[in-house]
Amino acid sequence: MEKTLVQNIGLLCTPQGSSVHAGEMQGQMEKIPEACVLMEDGIITYAGSQADFPMEKAQGAQVIDAGGNLVTPGLIDAHTHLVFGGWRQHEIPLKLAGTGYLDILRMGGGILSTVRHTREASEEELLRRSEGFLNEMLSMGVTSCEIKSGYGLDLENELKQLRVIKKLQETHPMDIDATFLGAHAVPEEYKEDPDGYVDLLTEKILPAVAEEKLARCCDVFCETGAFDVPQSRKVLMAGKALGLVPRIHADEIDAIGGAELSAEVGALSAEHLIASNEEGMQAMAKGGVIADLLPATSFYLDKTFAPARRMVELGIPVVIASDFNPGSCPSLNLPFAMNLGLLRYKLKPEEVLCAVTLNAACSVGMGDKVGTVEAGKQGDLVIWDAPDLDMILYRFGSNLCRTVIKKGRVAHEKG
Ligand code: NIG
Ligand code: FE
């Protein structure tokens, strides 16, 4: 049996349970001073006060001294697009000249530019690059994540992207949730026939994805210039009929009804919600939809920030994720998104931590396995270079991650 004991934890800070925390619960956090955590074969068997710990249980364990620091669950990035070819730094002059995100897309750039690069890249190239991104995320405390396809936009290249994700699931230490986002943009070859592309998605690509079991969820970019509500509904319902859980990019730029649609189709989550209005949020609250918020995208697109406080008030469970992608958020820094959660959403530190741990775990279908530091859960945790939660949310821009432990083993240590 492989045992690891993390001792001399100054403060263990973790939500508890396996299901989403909403409303007041979002900020409810177990805070245990002078704690230790024992992991046996990758599973937590003790998490609590060091004084109460029967030391004989740790016999033969590798001992890690947390140095009196803060320990939290490993972070979970519930929304990324990290398998892609090329970058889009050439869009910066356009951005500076005030050209909008959707205008760049309309001109054949934006997502479509990344589609060209992704189609050109081999599976092997995409795999190597994505591994690099995952390793960088791990060094910032991220131990599980979600990855979407959506830069292939045809059968061959969507499957290529999803197979890369599958390889990563098999080989990378992180736990990874796969989402099919074939409805990310209308590809150039269907420019004159967007409904024809929706038919291709529902009749051909989605069945192939389901057949190969390449994704757990199906997502749609429901937006002006991407897919309208009827098209989005059609894709999500077709996915649902094949066993794929619906989730949706909604109200990122314009509130065209995506939040309402998320409730109507029983989506697990609606994501972005920058432009959400009261009606959309009320629908989500009634429908039990998770709000997956992406503040670093608001920051990079120079948009307003999603009404996160109102969502907590309405009892909508809030998740914070990075949205890492080459166009609207070329940063994979989840701790930075957490900083914005505090500074811009005005969420409390405890609410922010829940948004990137337990709630995020539930939104990637792993609530019973990760997201909290409790006996029975997987041994995924972070030792921070900080005495408390306030410190990591306050010191934006620095990587305060000291040691990252994944499945009971040290996966990253600050050099
Ligand atoms: O979540 N808006 C749609 N998808 C991504 C951006 C993708 C891109 O610009 O390449 C997002 O913001
Ligand atoms: Fe996104």
Side-chain angles (χ1 to χ4, degrees):
M1 168 152 348
E2 192 176 308
K3 290 187 190 182
T4 309
L5 177 72
V6 179
Q7 66 177 19
N8 192 19
I9 298 172
L11 185 66
L12 173 62
C13 210
T14 178
Q16 287 189 309
S18 301
S19 46
V20 282
H21 281 183
E24 295 239 314
M25 285 283 283
Q26 172 109 27
Q28 254 175 45
M29 200 61 48
E30 188 73 12
K31 290 186 179 178
I32 307 169
E34 284 152 46
C36 68
V37 176
L38 180 69
M39 291 160 279
E40 300 181 67
D41 287 337
I43 303 294
I44 299 170
T45 50
Y46 181 87
S49 151
Q50 185 141 356
D52 299 340
F53 178 64
M55 229 11 216
E56 63 277 8
K57 276 186 85 176
Q59 225 180 14
Q62 178 202 357
V63 177
I64 298 171
D65 189 323
N69 285 299
L70 170 74
V71 166
T72 68
L75 309 179
I76 297 160
D77 193 340
H79 180 139
T80 83
H81 305 249
L82 72 75
V83 178
F84 59 85
W87 287 103
R88 304 233 288 275
Q89 75 276 31
H90 59 270
E91 288 176 2
I92 285 181
L94 284 172
K95 266 174 75 74
L96 290 179
T99 315
Y101 177 79
L102 293 178
D103 297 321
I104 297 175
L105 178 62
R106 210 168 296 126
M107 288 153 54
I111 295 173
L112 295 176
S113 146
T114 301
V115 168
R116 289 189 284 276
H117 285 105
T118 307
R119 285 179 175 178
E120 274 163 23
S122 70
E123 205 172 302
E124 189 58 27
E125 282 163 352
L126 291 173
L127 182 66
R128 293 282 90 86
R129 202 166 186 245
S130 306
E131 278 170 352
F133 293 148
L134 288 176
N135 292 340
E136 197 181 338
M137 286 159 66
L138 202 56
S139 76
M140 295 180 180
V142 177
T143 49
S144 305
C145 73
E146 182 254 18
I147 309 177
K148 301 173 197 295
S149 69
Y151 292 121
L153 308 189
D154 61 20
L155 179 66
E156 180 194 338
N157 289 291
E158 281 297 311
L159 292 184
K160 177 175 77 181
Q161 256 193 301
L162 289 167
R163 287 184 189 129
V164 170
I165 300 173
K166 188 165 188 190
K167 275 259 169 61
L168 294 168
Q169 287 172 325
E170 289 163 358
T171 56
H172 198 273
M174 267 203 214
D175 286 289
I176 298 166
D177 187 31
T179 299
F180 172 64
L181 178 56
H184 196 193
V186 177
E188 263 153 343
E189 58 277 18
Y190 278 90
K191 200 173 166 189
E192 305 307 326
D193 181 20
D195 286 324
Y197 182 59
V198 172
D199 290 342
L200 177 74
L201 283 171
T202 56
E203 289 162 18
K204 225 172 161 178
I205 307 184
L206 259 169
V209 170
E211 167 83 28
E212 260 193 70
K213 295 194 172 32
L214 288 171
R216 184 181 71 95
C217 297
C218 175
D219 195 344
V220 172
F221 186 22
C222 181
E223 186 60 66
T224 310
F227 298 90
D228 62 19
V229 167
Q231 291 168 331
S232 303
R233 179 187 291 116
K234 192 167 171 188
V235 172
L236 293 175
M237 292 311 286
K240 203 171 172 178
L242 291 163
L244 293 162
V245 177
R247 48 196 302 171
I248 178 168
H249 276 67
D251 304 350
E252 178 174 355
I253 317 277
D254 299 323
I256 62 164
E260 289 86 341
L261 181 64
S262 73
E264 180 197 314
V265 301
L268 174 68
S269 58
E271 324 197 349
H272 282 289
L273 306 170
I274 293 173
S276 285
N277 54 34
E278 186 66 20
E279 274 168 7
M281 289 188 282
Q282 294 279 0
M284 284 178 60
K286 250 192 227 127
V289 182
I290 296 173
D292 185 340
L293 305 183
L294 311 159
T297 305
S298 287
F299 174 79
Y300 188 71
L301 293 182
D302 203 9
K303 297 274 174 196
T304 54
F305 286 80
R309 274 254 63 89
R310 179 70 185 137
M311 291 173 184
V312 173
E313 250 172 56
L314 287 170
I316 300 170
V318 169
V319 168
I320 293 177
S322 72
D323 194 25
F324 175 48
N325 74 76
S328 68
C329 187
S331 165
L332 47 68
N333 191 326
L334 184 60
F336 176 60
M338 293 165 66
N339 298 133
L340 292 173
L342 175 94
L343 297 168
R344 291 292 176 268
Y345 290 159
K346 313 286 184 206
L347 294 182
K348 296 179 197 140
E350 293 80 5
E351 291 170 331
V352 171
L353 186 65
C354 178
V356 293
T357 55
L358 178 58
N359 282 2
C362 296
S363 85
V364 297
M366 301 178 198
D368 50 0
K369 185 163 102 173
V370 297
T372 68
V373 181
E374 287 176 289
K377 290 265 184 118
Q378 201 165 274
D380 294 5
L381 44 98
V382 181
I383 304 172
W384 298 90
D385 242 336
D388 55 34
L389 209 48
D390 288 1
M391 181 65 95
I392 57 175
L393 288 166
Y394 149 82
R395 296 257 342 257
F396 75 91
S398 285
N399 183 4
L400 295 188
C401 220
R402 204 189 83 170
T403 309
V404 184
I405 296 173
K406 179 71 188 168
K407 295 178 189 154
R409 290 186 174 172
V410 174
H412 179 83
E413 200 141 21
K414 205 177 218 170

